Amino acid sequence: MNTYDIITEEVESSIRVKQLVVERCLDSIQLASNQIVTALSDDKALLLAGNGGSATDAVHIAAEFLGRFRRNRRSVPAIALPANISVVTAIGNDYGYDEIYARQIDGFYRIAGVFMGFSTSGNSGNIVKAAMRAKELGLVTIGFTGEDGGLLKSVVSTLIAVPSRDTARIQEVHIMIGHILSEIAERWIASR
């Protein structure tokens, strides 16, 4: 096993997927950025959720909005729905795992403008159900998925489907896109 070959293969694979994002996803990323800026201009919060590793991605991106990305600026109201383990486990116990985010959306939708759901397959039941609930309650819904979008593609307002079936590549690109959206929001805030 040549570790240099493995490293090179992994880096080149990541680069190829990111090049495909430039070819296929710019319009959906632009639309998502406009939807986020519109929500922020209306003083509405962002709700973010994910399943498995994508739960951590949602928490990471919420932190970029709430704290800061590259520059000091006012805080952007962003709520990471997976972050409170007491809430997640209580709702899971009382209502079922597919309700862990939908139930929180019931509580937060009045202050929110956008729901951002992360699911590499697009088929995570809790994310699909959350997007459906958010849509029913009038929120803009943005889905972050892999190549085919899964069930989420028929539910969300905006689908950002990373052109890959490799979970690692998809999650890497979800973080990159989250950073891009954070950068756009920061520049918008700085221009006001």
Side-chain angles (χ1 to χ4, degrees):
M1 173 177 73
N2 184 333
T3 55
Y4 285 107
D5 289 344
I6 294 168
I7 295 165
T8 300
E9 180 183 316
E10 290 296 307
V11 171
E12 288 176 350
S13 172
S14 184
I15 290 167
R16 280 191 300 275
V17 173
K18 289 173 180 173
Q19 288 171 330
L20 289 171
V21 167
V22 172
E23 294 171 19
R24 300 182 192 173
C25 300
L26 293 187
D27 288 342
S28 58
I29 296 168
Q30 173 67 34
L31 179 57
S33 72
N34 290 341
Q35 292 165 325
I36 289 167
V37 165
T38 297
L40 299 180
S41 68
D42 292 337
D43 291 322
K44 295 292 188 177
L46 310 175
L47 305 178
L48 298 88
N51 196 50
S54 295
T56 303
D57 295 342
V59 173
H60 175 155
I61 298 306
E64 303 291 16
F65 282 107
L66 191 59
R68 59 170 268 176
F69 180 56
R70 286 196 167 116
R71 55 187 63 81
N72 289 325
R73 40 87 176 156
R74 73 174 171 87
S75 181
V76 171
I79 301 168
L81 301 180
N84 188 330
I85 196 64
S86 296
V87 170
V88 169
T89 57
I91 293 170
N93 184 65
D94 294 347
Y95 296 96
Y97 189 69
D98 281 356
E99 285 288 330
I100 62 173
Y101 300 130
R103 183 78 175 165
Q104 291 183 70
I105 289 169
D106 288 341
F108 289 125
Y109 81 92
R110 290 170 193 83
I111 63 167
V114 172
F115 168 72
M116 300 163 65
F118 295 78
S119 170
T120 58
S121 68
N123 294 318
S124 302
N126 53 10
I127 299 301
V128 172
K129 190 146 193 176
M132 291 170 66
R133 185 76 50 80
K135 188 176 182 178
E136 289 167 6
L137 295 170
L139 301 183
V140 169
T141 53
I142 302 170
F144 294 76
T145 70
E147 189 162 49
D148 72 1
L151 298 171
L152 208 52
K153 76 177 161 197
S154 64
V155 176
V156 295
S157 315
T158 302
L159 180 69
I160 301 173
V162 174
S164 177
R165 294 186 186 281
D166 183 327
T167 299
R169 300 292 87 89
I170 296 165
Q171 289 178 332
E172 290 167 8
V173 174
H174 285 173
I175 290 296
M176 179 189 74
I177 294 168
H179 286 162
I180 291 167
L181 296 172
S182 299
E183 176 67 20
I184 291 168
E186 284 192 347
R187 289 186 189 200
W188 175 80
I189 291 167
S191 72
R192 297 180 56 76

